[in-house]
Each structure stands twice: as C-alpha cells, then as structure tokens.
Amino acid sequence: MTDTILTMSNGGGIDLVDPTSDIDFTVLAEHLAKVKRYNGATPAVEYSVAQHSVMGADAAFADTGSLELASYFLLHDGHEAFLGDDTTPKKRALALIASRNFGVLSEDIMRSFRVLEDQFDTVIHKAAGLAWPPAPEIKPLIKSYDLVMFVTEWRDLMRGVKHPNWDEYRGIDPLRDSIGAWSWQISAGAFIDRCKRYLPVFKGGWK
C-alpha cells in the first residue's frame, strides 16, 4: 500500500500506518521547525514545535541536570513531524462527526489518534536510544515542563489574547525570561544541536 506513505523533506517516504525505526533526526528537526504551535494562532509571529521542544528541554536540564528528562522533553512532540500538530478540538470534532454520521464510536476515533501517535513515538525514541514509554517518574515531569512552556508561550506570544480556561493554569510559574519566535532555520539548527547534546544515540549512551 502506498497511499499511507508520507514524503519527507529528504525525498524519502515513511509509512504512516507502519513506520520504521529508520529516523533521520535532520528530517525530524526540519519538519518540527515548520510545524506551528497553536495551529499558527500566535498573533503576528510563527512559533514552531521545534522551538518549544528546545526551550523546554533546556529549561528541564537547567533545573534538574537530567539528560534523560531533557531528551524526553525534546522528543515529546516528535510524532508531530510526520502527523502535524492536530489540535484537541479538531480530534474531538472528527470523533463526533464519525459518531453522528457513520455510527463509529467517538472513543474509537480518539483511540486511533493515540495509537497512530504512539507508533511514531515508539520508533522515534528507539532511534534516539530511549525506551518508550518513559519511566513512570519521568512522565509527570514532562507534563510539568510542557505546562511551564504553555504559560510562558501564552504570556509572551499570544499578546493579550484571553484564554477561555485559564483557571486550570493558575499557580504554574512561567519561565523567568521572555521568549520570542525564531525562524524555522534557527529552530531546526537548535533542535539538531540539542539532539547531539542530550540524546543517548549521539553520546554513546549516558555516562
């Protein structure tokens, strides 16, 4: 079957149904640097998933000194390089439409999204020399730094846009320094740099 093969920036292809572990981190970096956070909703600027991943990984390492945590954060949105940054409202809308019109259980649609993402997370982390899923003690830390990045990004990039459900984010401290959006070229270069700095595959394992 060829209709599930995605063409990548290096001219190669990857099967979205049955991805392989032959992951090129240069491709991963370029794709993530061109995927926009918040579906491109940051006013007047383009802010990439690659920059989000780099800045969160750096914050995690600066606070904890953990190469493991920095590595997992760097790759936590890695599947979006091949699948895009589908917003949760979009996924829920597709699930609801399938349920209303075709008799498909909405939870089955949401589960399909999770399986698709998990397949890519598995091969990306394997290529990086990391186990998937991460250890139980690492998972909440990834989520914690994701929230830190979220409140920082909203503060600095959304330019006063009111969030409809901000109460759940109260009490989460943003990064001290403000952030500005990078070009995709800078984001891609920084992502590759952090791959070499943090990931065990580039360091011969952690010592």
Side-chain angles (χ1 to χ4, degrees), residues 154 161-169:
W154 202 274
V161 174
K162 185 177 180 180
H163 191 281
N165 300 303
W166 191 254
D167 283 346
E168 61 185 283
Y169 302 107

Side-chain angles (χ1 to χ4, degrees), residues 40 83 113 181:
L83 303 177
F113 278 114

Side-chain angles (χ1 to χ4, degrees), residues 36-179:
K36 303 298 181 278
R37 287 274 286 169
Y38 309 110
N39 199 35
T42 48
V45 296
E46 296 181 347
Y47 179 70
S48 72
V49 172
Q51 182 179 349
H52 162 83
S53 301
V54 165
M55 298 192 76
D58 285 352
F61 185 74
D63 289 345
T64 69
S66 171
L67 287 171
E68 182 180 20
L69 176 57
S71 293
Y72 275 110
F73 193 92
L74 186 68
L75 299 181
H76 78 287
D77 285 331
H79 56 267
E80 293 180 5
F82 308 105
L83 303 177
D85 184 12
D86 278 325
T87 63
T88 298
K90 176 184 174 181
K91 294 176 184 177
R92 289 172 178 162
L94 287 173
L96 184 58
I97 288 170
S99 177
R100 285 177 175 175
N101 294 279
F102 311 115
V104 179
L105 293 176
S106 59
E107 179 53 35
D108 287 341
I109 301 297
M110 296 300 289
R111 190 178 296 116
S112 295
F113 278 114
R114 290 192 291 271
V115 169
L116 188 61
E117 291 171 356
D118 189 67
Q119 288 181 158
F120 273 95
D121 283 331
T122 298
V123 297
I124 290 168
H125 285 79
K126 179 180 179 182
L130 295 165
W132 185 261
E137 64 271 19
I138 294 293
K139 284 184 178 181
L141 294 175
I142 298 170
K143 179 64 175 177
S144 175
Y145 278 96
D146 209 20
L147 290 172
V148 168
M149 289 306 301
F150 173 78
V151 297
T152 304
E153 291 157 0
W154 202 274
R155 178 194 69 189
D156 296 338
L157 302 173
M158 292 305 288
R159 303 190 179 207
V161 174
K162 185 177 180 180
H163 191 281
N165 300 303
W166 191 254
D167 283 346
E168 61 185 283
Y169 302 107
R170 295 189 190 283
I172 299 171
D173 293 327
L175 299 178
R176 181 182 62 184
D177 296 332
S178 62
I179 61 175

